[in-house]
Amino acid sequence: MFLNADGAELQRIRGYQTSEQFLKAAGEVAANPEKDAVTRAREELETGYWPEAMARQKLAFALRAVGKQEEALVEYMAALDSLGTDMMSRNYWVHLIRDVCDMAGDYPPAGEKMRTLREELVKRVETGKADRYDLNQITTIDSGLNQREKTLELYSRLKEKGDVPAELMSGFARSCRDLLLEDRQYAALEAESYGGLLFRTLADINSLNRQKAWGNGDFSGLSADRAEMMKKRFESMSDEQRAKVNADMMEHLVGNIGEQYQIALGVDKTGDAATIAEKVLEAYPSALTYHTLAVNALRSGNPHEVDLEYAGKAVGLDRGEHPDYVQTRYELMQYFERVRETSPDSAPAEAPPVAGVGEDH
């Protein structure tokens, strides 16, 4: 963002720029400081400096910044209309939809436009004319307007209807995966898991092992060019930056595996759950991993005694850094206490023993 001395926006650059492009843009601002962002954006739209959708989006941003919401909405909708049917255009829809939904909090007509668009997209789905891009746009609108329960309602209705192509429903399940997890629709999530839960878990564990190596600066196995690029990036970061990037990636990958564990327990595939736990603990036996298994077991509504052991191991290794680890263990203890109270003659189900519990790593 380029601002004048009064704080008014003169120019905004989004996305990647080469050094030449950036310096040219900066030079134009410096040479013409009297032009505000709206004027510049209109000129760029008229001259075709950017593709039409991007130029109109930029103009809409500038108009919003000076409070011209009505004009901004017109530009957003024109930007949507300007896009074609190719893959890049269909993907770009999502960026524009997010912007318009973001306007809705301060400018209700933007929300009405998105609700109307959603109705049109749902009709396409119900008449068999939709594709995965239409479904992505529906989920984006629902997320942007804080009405994600509508995504779940639509998914359940289409599933019950039964005549939507399986690959389309599978894509829909992927796009609303977190909602299906919250609603414990585990059978649908298992069906969506390409190759099955164990296949997906092994793929994530392979990624986890690669990330561990990369976190230590080991880029063997990559092509020479790719390894050199990764090495340069690695060496350009401080020790703290490397640790942060690696920790974030490990948490993401372990989280993915934890979800597979939750689904396996949710569909009562105890053997698969035990294998998933064994493999991830073998690859990364950390407090994070133990807690991820325990908390996903709790979310599944079908935890086993071994999950309480995982929670205890997480607390022991964590040394009090994460209060939520203690909370998860407490909630599992409460769960099993309720089980014993309601079924005094039956012990909680036990999963097969898994490597890692009771051992120090």
Side-chain angles (χ1 to χ4, degrees), residues 334-346:
Q334 293 292 100
Y335 171 87
F336 287 121
E337 186 62 33
R338 289 193 299 271
V339 168
R340 294 184 182 95
E341 288 175 356
T342 56
S343 304
D345 298 328
S346 62

Side-chain angles (χ1 to χ4, degrees), residues 259-309:
E259 289 180 357
Q260 305 311 312
Y261 185 68
Q262 180 184 159
I263 295 167
L265 289 174
V267 294
D268 208 21
K269 290 191 173 179
T270 305
D272 284 357
T275 300
I276 291 169
E278 180 180 7
K279 295 297 183 184
V280 70
L281 287 169
E282 181 181 301
Y284 193 53
S286 66
L288 168 67
T289 305
Y290 282 111
H291 176 257
T292 299
L293 292 170
V295 77
N296 276 280
L298 187 62
R299 290 167 182 163
S300 76
N302 186 32
H304 294 69
E305 286 282 7
V306 72
D307 298 306
L308 182 55
E309 295 182 45

